[in-house]
Amino acid sequence: MRKRIGTRIGERGTAVVEISLLIPWIFLLFAGVLDFGFYGYALIATQNAARAAALVTSAYPDAAADDEAACIFVLGEMAALPNAKNLTRPCPTSGKQITDTKPVAVDASAVIGADGEPASRVTVVYRTIPLVPLPFMAGRMTITRVVVMRIGEG
């Protein structure tokens, strides 16, 4: 039995060519997963912050429209986000007032709930940091979450 020598000579370097053609797609996939993960975390953090602030403002009737108390709890819940780490009070009360230095807006108001009872409504608006500019992603999102919670008996 003789070994065949030289049958693979024309195939040298094909792995390098294949990986060089796939690297842009691998990078694009990695950047997309990173962006989606960050945006998913930002959505969850914004919802948790709105819920925590609604719990505080619905504790008793006088606190239902307390923007300052809501701001304290929202900033505490959102402290893990990259552009919300060192935010200070007061929070803007409208999404139109959001800037790069104040990316979180909090508005607490007393409303009548769906059951006809007094309730507290907390609206939290958060603008994310710009991430990898991908063609299928917005690059920067503004997330709004609203929580309405019935006011406790006091």
Side-chain angles (χ1 to χ4, degrees), residues 58-116:
S58 67
Y60 53 94
D62 294 340
D66 189 358
D67 289 332
E68 185 66 23
C71 178
I72 292 169
F73 279 86
V74 166
L75 294 181
E77 286 289 322
M78 298 184 81
L81 293 170
N83 60 343
K85 284 182 182 176
N86 300 317
L87 292 180
T88 58
R89 299 177 314 219
C91 296
T93 57
S94 168
K96 295 177 184 175
Q97 299 171 338
I98 288 179
T99 63
D100 286 340
T101 57
K102 292 275 190 174
V104 178
V106 180
D107 180 38
S109 56
V111 297
I112 300 299
D115 59 355

Side-chain angles (χ1 to χ4, degrees), residues 1-7:
M1 297 240 301
R2 284 183 136 194
K3 280 187 167 181
R4 295 177 71 173
I5 300 174
T7 57

